[in-house]
């Protein structure tokens, strides 16, 4: 015992062993929620008038269907397939984000978007978050070679 520090703690220290077993499920749920939000945004915008824009309208509907499908698949995929679904979701979100940024800067398929458009910022943050969460999940759950 040190006079100025009190009794010395001799209990074993906790060693950081990386992510817990719950981490992949937390990321799966977060990733699925972000994909579903991305689908909801695109379906809502398609319904609000984007459906009448050549190429963009069908792309928004396709994005909504793919996003909802990937969200569901992410939740039901067996452990060995999670990395693939997460990677596909990350690529889908990255492509959607790229489309948003291209349409805002140089235009896309003759359509130019504005950051003042309905749900622009929400789309930006949801898609960005989906890329990060799903890429992390893909890396964390990738098959290990022995």
């Amino acid at each position: 015992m040190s006079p100025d520090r009190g009794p010395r703690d001799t209990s074993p220290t906790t060693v950081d062993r990386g992510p817990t077993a719950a981490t992949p499920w937390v990321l799966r749920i977060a990733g699925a929620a972000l994909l579903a939000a991305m689908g909801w945004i695109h379906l809502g915008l398609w319904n609000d008038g984007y459906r009448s824009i050549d190429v963009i309208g069908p792309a928004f509907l396709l994005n909504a269907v793919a996003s909802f499908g990937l969200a569901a698949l992410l939740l039901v995929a067996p452990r060995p397939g999670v990395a693939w679904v997460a990677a596909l979701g990350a690529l889908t979100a990255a492509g959607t984000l790229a489309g948003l940024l291209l349409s805002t800067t140089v235009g896309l398929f003759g359509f130019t978007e504005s950051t003042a458009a309905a749900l622009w910022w929400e789309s930006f943050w949801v898609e960005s978050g989906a890329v990060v969460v799903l890429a992390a999940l893909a890396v964390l759950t990738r098959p290990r070679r022995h």
Side-chain angles (χ1 to χ4, degrees):
M1 177 172 2
S2 172
D4 56 335
R5 293 189 197 149
R8 187 162 188 212
D9 183 11
T10 58
S11 62
T13 58
T14 302
V15 177
D16 184 5
R17 299 193 198 303
T20 67
T23 302
W25 269 108
V26 169
L27 292 175
R28 280 173 88 160
I29 292 166
L34 288 163
L35 284 167
M38 193 169 82
W40 186 258
I41 288 169
H42 283 84
L43 183 60
L45 291 171
W46 178 83
N47 203 30
D48 286 344
Y50 279 66
R51 75 174 92 189
S52 64
I53 303 169
D54 286 338
V55 182
I56 300 295
F60 269 48
L61 186 58
L62 179 62
N63 184 278
V65 170
S67 297
F68 289 133
L70 284 167
L73 190 56
L74 191 59
L75 294 175
V76 300
R79 177 100 167 87
V82 171
W84 290 105
V85 178
L88 187 55
L91 289 172
T92 301
T96 304
L97 180 60
L100 176 67
L101 296 175
L102 282 171
S103 71
T104 306
T105 54
V106 297
L108 189 62
F109 303 113
F111 177 76
T112 304
E113 188 62 89
S114 163
T115 57
L119 300 176
W120 193 96
W121 284 103
E122 291 85 345
S123 294
F124 176 81
W125 290 115
V126 165
E127 293 158 12
S128 298
V131 170
V132 171
V133 168
L134 293 166
L137 179 60
V139 169
L140 182 65
T141 58
R142 75 186 182 282
R144 308 266 193 256
R145 294 185 186 209
H146 299 290

